[in-house]
Amino acid sequence: MNSPEQVGTGATILVVDDSAAKRYLLVSWLTRAGFTVVQADSGGAALDRMEREEIDLVVLDVRLGDMSGFEVSERIKSDPRHASRPVIHVSAHAVSVADRAQGLTRGADAYLVEPIEPDELIATTQAALRYYRARSRAELLATRLARLAETTLAVNAAPSFASMLTAAASGAARIFGTGALVAGQDADGRGWAAVVGEPEGPATIQEWAADLRAVPVGVGMRTETPADWPVPVHPDDRIRVATARLRPDRPAVQVGVPESVLATESAVLSQLVQAVATAVEAQRSYDEEHRIAVTLQRSLLPRRLPAVPGLDLAVCYEPASAQTEVGGDFYELAMIDGRLVVAIGDVAGHSLHAATVMAELRHAIRAYAVERHPPGGILERVDELLRTLLPGEFATLCLLTLEPATGRIRLASAGHLPPLVVTADSTEFVVHRAPLLGVRADRPDDLELVLPPGATLVLYTDGLVERRDIDLDRRLDDLAGSAATVEPDLDGFCRRLLAELGPVDVTDDIAVVALRRH
């Protein structure tokens, strides 16, 4: 027999045969060919070594002392951990077509009949390993692509920049089965890095001082030493960093993983950094647009509250966090002819158009109030203006005038939620049912009442109390309960109402106006 040429594949092969002489021969051929070879003299010993060691291929005799090679092969292939491992049957006795068919049917990848030539054994082993490695690479790529899709979905569903980075870092760790880092800059220009130490470990976020604007536009890949990267790697390993910068006026996004986990392919890492960069860019644009929208919305509201002797005034306004568009909630407080004019309302919709309608209504209310019309008269004129100039638009409004010295209130409503009067002994809603603005219908007379000394009047928009899954009456009861105690600091009182009654994710604007008579 000719000595086989050494090929040095680095694979570990398990030789299973109950004959020491045959094992010696097979081990010698495979060792000279460059393989790492381990041995087992029985089926049970072979299965035990499969559990304890990383085996790449099994050369398995068909006739063993404790069980047949067919059974060993079948048990190896039935275990999901080893199902793709190649098994080569060798036999000097089970050489019939039926034997070979049974061996291949029960899991073997090749069947060699003795006497075997060394070259034939080595060539068969190499062919089986090539298929095994190609299949392993394909399975790994398929798994990574599936996890890439999951990570892309999680990143795009993240509600904030920080949660987006942590979702990307956790996803990268699961994709590559290792620690990972994802870095980017928020809309304020601050750099952050989300780091995961192990595949299923928690993600932590920390400030990151890397200059992400020095990275060229486009997608790139570079290798870094691990000293400055908080990703755990083997001392001999390095960090592969993928970068994506979508626009010259935007900073880059970086994803770093140990270089060893990429093997020969880095396409998944490149796709991941592009997906994260696209999502971060969308989030950054959203943050900037939301900031502009909120600035515009606040510019349409009163800049300051009037100073009124005998009254404490406070306002809290919370724009919708889930909307980049401005909304239609508004309020007004102004002293006209010795009376405090108070208005709170809500234009239907969330858009720049709704904010424009809101601004027109607010200025119309001020103008008609200066003409000294009573609240009901102001509502009639505002309603006529809305139906004439802006047909199809609707709004709710509660409007009142208050004499600070006497506490006399004259109130008119247009479909708005009822104000709440809080005294030391009671909380009571002031109900004044009337059609909303934009609907041609008769309106009731103004409601008159007196706000006693020490009492507090609370007006609010529907974002504070309305929830899709909770009855409105129950929510109004919650408001009455929360407002029953009024802090000396009226601003703190309004903030507490927002904290106790407002949702975590504000999907609708919320305005709260409170006034207390001394």
Side-chain angles (χ1 to χ4, degrees):
M1 293 183 186
N2 297 323
S3 297
E5 182 182 357
Q6 185 164 348
V7 295
T9 65
T12 299
I13 297 176
L14 173 62
V15 173
V16 187
D17 200 307
D18 57 0
S19 167
K22 282 181 55 181
R23 284 201 315 277
Y24 174 79
L25 194 60
L26 294 172
V27 168
S28 298
W29 293 344
L30 292 168
T31 301
R32 289 200 301 270
F35 297 106
T36 299
V37 185
V38 295
Q39 307 177 45
D41 60 3
S42 68
L47 294 173
D48 182 61
R49 296 205 76 147
M50 292 291 293
E51 290 294 318
R52 294 183 289 105
E53 302 175 35
E54 187 65 30
I55 303 297
D56 297 299
L57 181 143
V58 181
V59 176
L60 177 62
D61 187 26
V62 171
R63 291 190 177 180
L64 300 170
D66 55 345
M67 65 182 78
S68 73
F70 297 148
E71 184 180 350
V72 175
S73 175
E74 199 168 47
R75 289 174 62 174
I76 291 173
K77 297 292 185 170
S78 65
D79 188 331
R81 296 170 298 170
H82 311 309
S84 61
R85 299 293 190 276
V87 173
I88 300 175
H89 273 318
V90 294
S91 181
H93 304 284
V95 297
S96 69
V97 172
D99 292 327
R100 285 177 285 169
Q102 181 180 186
L104 296 172
T105 299
R106 296 178 69 174
D109 298 273
Y111 201 109
L112 299 179
V113 174
E114 297 184 62
I116 305 169
E117 290 294 330
D119 291 343
E120 181 183 14
L121 175 64
I122 303 307
T124 302
T125 300
Q126 290 173 336
L129 285 172
R130 281 196 301 271
Y131 171 77
Y132 163 62
R133 287 166 177 161
R135 176 177 172 177
S136 296
R137 286 194 296 270
E139 291 175 346
L140 177 62
L141 180 59
T143 300
R144 287 182 171 179
L145 288 173
R147 291 175 179 170
L148 172 64
E150 295 171 355
T151 301
T152 301
L153 182 62
V155 169
N156 282 280
S160 65
F161 177 79
S163 60
M164 186 175 292
L165 291 188
T166 55
S170 295
R174 287 193 299 272
I175 290 170
F176 297 106
T178 184
L181 176 146
V182 178
Q185 284 184 359
D186 61 19
D188 297 323
R190 291 183 299 174
W192 299 94
V195 181
V196 176
E198 54 187 6
E200 299 300 327
T204 59
I205 192 161
Q206 61 193 53
E207 289 200 47
W208 186 249
D211 185 1
L212 300 179
R213 291 185 179 272
V215 177
V217 174
V219 179
M221 199 81 63
R222 70 177 190 272
T223 301
E224 297 277 355
T225 57
D228 299 326
W229 292 77
V231 178
V233 298
H234 188 274
D236 297 330
D237 206 349
R238 305 183 75 187
I239 301 293
R240 182 70 64 86
V241 180
T243 63
R245 189 176 182 189
L246 303 185
R247 291 167 37 179
D249 59 333
R250 300 295 200 194
V253 169
Q254 297 181 326
V255 179
V257 297
E259 189 174 42
S260 60
V261 303
L262 297 178
T264 59
E265 60 88 12
S266 57
V268 174
L269 181 61
S270 178
Q271 292 180 47
L272 174 62
V273 75
Q274 291 178 70
V276 176
T278 301
V280 166
E281 174 60 27
Q283 180 69 39
R284 187 181 289 116
S285 297
Y286 166 85
D287 290 341
E288 292 175 352
E289 292 171 8
H290 186 63
R291 183 178 304 159
I292 293 170
V294 170
T295 301
L296 173 60
Q297 191 168 19
R298 291 188 183 279
S299 72
L300 299 174
L301 298 171
R303 293 181 180 273
R304 62 182 63 88
L305 300 181
V308 184
L311 294 177
D312 293 329
L313 305 177
V315 170
C316 276
Y317 183 82
E318 186 71 28
S321 61
Q323 300 284 342
T324 57
E325 299 177 319
V326 293
D329 286 21
F330 67 97
Y331 60 89
E332 180 61 62
L333 295 100
M335 284 297 293
I336 300 176
D337 282 348
R339 290 182 176 87
L340 178 65
V341 177
V342 182
I344 190 165
D346 184 6
V347 175
H350 286 86
S351 65
L352 183 58
H353 177 70
T356 303
V357 175
M358 174 263 281
E360 293 192 44
L361 292 185
R362 176 173 169 253
H363 291 307
I365 291 168
R366 290 162 64 93
Y368 292 134
V370 168
E371 292 180 353
R372 297 171 179 80
H373 297 289
I378 295 174
L379 288 192
E380 288 179 357
R381 287 162 174 78
V382 172
D383 182 52
E384 183 68 24
L385 180 146
L386 188 64
R387 288 188 287 107
T388 302
L389 300 181
L390 298 166
E393 299 294 338
F394 303 96
T396 67
L397 178 64
C398 182
L399 175 67
L400 62 90
T401 59
L402 169 66
E403 296 177 0
T406 63
R408 289 184 59 195
I409 291 176
R410 187 166 180 173
L411 180 147
S413 181
H416 202 78
L417 291 166
L420 180 67
V421 175
V422 182
T423 66
D425 303 320
S426 66
T427 57
E428 183 177 354
F429 287 102
V430 181
V431 179
H432 187 254
R433 292 185 174 86
L436 50 78
L437 298 177
V439 175
R440 186 183 297 275
D442 293 334
R443 297 189 175 277
D445 295 335
D446 290 357
L447 185 66
E448 296 190 24
L449 65 150
V450 174
L451 186 68
T456 301
L457 181 67
V458 182
L459 301 96
Y460 51 94
T461 56
D462 57 4
L464 182 67
V465 294
E466 287 190 353
R467 301 291 179 271
R468 293 180 180 178
D469 56 343
I470 304 177
D471 182 74
L472 179 59
D473 290 338
R474 176 181 162 190
R475 290 291 297 171
L476 291 176
D477 290 341
D478 292 341
L479 170 59
S482 292
T485 301
V486 181
E487 289 86 342
D489 177 12
L490 210 55
D491 286 316
F493 169 69
C494 290
R495 289 194 298 271
R496 180 173 60 79
L497 292 184
L498 280 176
E500 292 181 356
L501 300 171
V504 175
D505 185 16
V506 182
T507 58
D508 192 8
D509 301 339
I510 301 175
V512 179
V513 176
L515 54 97
R516 176 171 54 203
R517 186 180 172 207
H518 293 175

